[in-house]
Amino acid sequence: MKPVIGTVVSNKMQKSVVVAVDRLFHNKLYNRYVKRTSKFMAHDERDSCNIGDRVKLDPSRPLSKNKHWVVAEIIKKARIYSPQAAAAAIAASASTSSPSIADSSTAQSQAPPSTTS
């Protein structure tokens, strides 16, 4: 077997990850390309993979009933959402916003409402 590249879809196990590998093949009857996804369990010795990471898997001897692959390298780390980082980004963008927009909105709110009879 040759090494494959896929995306980590689960890392809830200890030292194990589930990797989804996509492949395209040509359907001769319909003359279209078809996408199929295979899920492989892989051994992650350092437990460093997170969901969304692009990883390269190498084949190995059977490590358990379903594990026949080893994570060779992490090609690209996924961007992980953290509430603290999101709050800091929102605060930074709010402090750099133009004051003219904020002044015009307060001026409109302080104006007396027009009466229509």
Side-chain angles (χ1 to χ4, degrees):
M1 291 187 288
K2 64 179 184 176
V4 294
I5 294 175
T7 306
V8 176
V9 293
S10 173
N11 65 345
K12 293 183 184 283
M13 300 161 281
Q14 296 175 357
K15 295 190 176 185
S16 298
V17 292
V18 178
V19 179
V21 177
D22 294 330
R23 62 187 171 90
L24 284 175
F25 64 91
H26 187 259
N27 188 314
K28 293 179 183 177
L29 178 64
Y30 297 112
N31 197 24
R32 296 284 187 266
Y33 282 95
V34 183
K35 178 180 170 182
R36 291 283 185 256
T37 302
S38 302
K39 290 199 279 187
F40 299 116
M41 285 186 66
H43 183 67
D44 181 19
E45 181 61 41
R46 290 169 286 163
D47 215 9
S48 59
C49 291
N50 287 317
I51 295 175
D53 291 350
R54 293 284 291 173
V55 294
K56 178 182 175 186
L57 300 180
D58 283 337
S60 72
R61 64 179 177 81
L63 299 171
S64 69
K65 179 181 176 183
N66 297 320
K67 264 198 322 192
H68 308 280
W69 298 87
V70 174
V71 175
E73 65 176 307
I74 299 173
I75 297 171
K76 183 180 177 188
K77 295 291 279 182
R79 293 179 59 188
I80 300 173
Y81 173 78
S82 67
Q84 294 86 9
I90 291 171
S93 67
S95 66
T96 60
S97 66
S98 62
S100 62
I101 296 171
D103 293 338
S104 64
S105 65
T106 55
Q108 290 174 357
S109 64
Q110 292 174 354
S114 61
T115 58
T116 55
S117 300

